[in-house]
Amino acid sequence: MKVILLQDVKSLGKRGDVVNVSDGYARNMLLPKKLGVEATPKTLNDLKLQTAHEEKLAAEALAAAKELAEQIGRSTLQMKIKVGEGGKTFGSISAKEIVEAAKEQYGFDLDKKKVQIASPIRELGAAAVAVRLHPQVTANLKINVTEA
């Protein structure tokens, strides 16, 4: 019996796969536990339409991430940090502060977990931070650190 998997099943396949299993396994395991449905022409067509819709949404998300990456690449954040005698800074600039400044200055809605700081920003001047917007898109955000 051909079955379309509704969820990932270990050692059988991933969600959306069409697999050929024995009738008893399908009737006693997969169908009652809602792990799969019988592969009829209607369900196969529904699966095809659903995968096409998911691909379209993924393409739109990728295009939006690329557009946001361009906007981020063109902008420079202005941030201030307290400085003591001899140019020694107090503390460092965190990902949370970068996200807040990006929201305030440019309206970018970023996730602090996606901001990848290679080393803490503790010096005045220019710095660059990578922002992971999508698995395939990473933007470089320029930061200009000045004295508060």
Side-chain angles (χ1 to χ4, degrees):
M1 174 184 283
K2 288 193 181 244
V3 176
I4 299 172
L5 297 177
L6 299 176
Q7 297 178 13
D8 293 352
V9 179
K10 189 174 181 179
S11 74
L12 192 58
K14 296 199 177 285
R15 180 182 171 273
D17 289 349
V18 179
V19 294
N20 199 10
V21 296
S22 67
D23 292 350
Y25 185 64
R27 272 189 263 112
N28 296 323
M29 173 70 175
L30 297 177
L31 299 179
K33 291 188 176 183
K34 306 283 190 229
L35 298 175
V37 294
E38 188 175 349
T40 62
K42 181 193 179 307
T43 56
L44 288 171
N45 190 36
D46 290 346
L47 175 67
K48 188 171 95 174
L49 292 173
Q50 184 179 7
T51 54
H53 179 68
E54 289 172 357
E55 289 173 359
K56 181 183 172 194
L57 290 178
E60 288 174 358
L62 178 63
K66 285 181 179 178
E67 183 179 320
L68 183 59
E70 282 183 29
Q71 292 175 356
I72 288 174
R74 284 186 258 130
S75 54
T76 303
L77 280 182
Q78 302 296 326
M79 300 195 73
K80 297 182 184 235
I81 191 168
K82 289 184 181 180
V83 179
E85 290 182 23
K88 185 164 176 127
T89 60
F90 296 112
S92 63
I93 296 176
S94 67
K96 182 179 177 184
E97 293 170 329
I98 292 172
V99 169
E100 289 172 358
K103 178 80 170 173
E104 180 182 307
Q105 293 177 21
Y106 294 105
F108 297 145
D109 192 23
L110 304 175
D111 183 9
K112 72 177 182 178
K113 295 174 187 164
K114 305 285 182 172
V115 176
Q116 301 170 336
I117 302 175
S119 61
I121 301 172
R122 295 185 173 144
E123 298 155 359
L124 299 178
V129 174
V131 180
R132 190 113 172 126
L133 301 172
H134 188 271
Q136 300 171 355
V137 179
T138 302
N140 286 324
L141 178 63
K142 295 181 278 294
I143 301 172
N144 187 20
V145 182
T146 57
E147 187 175 339

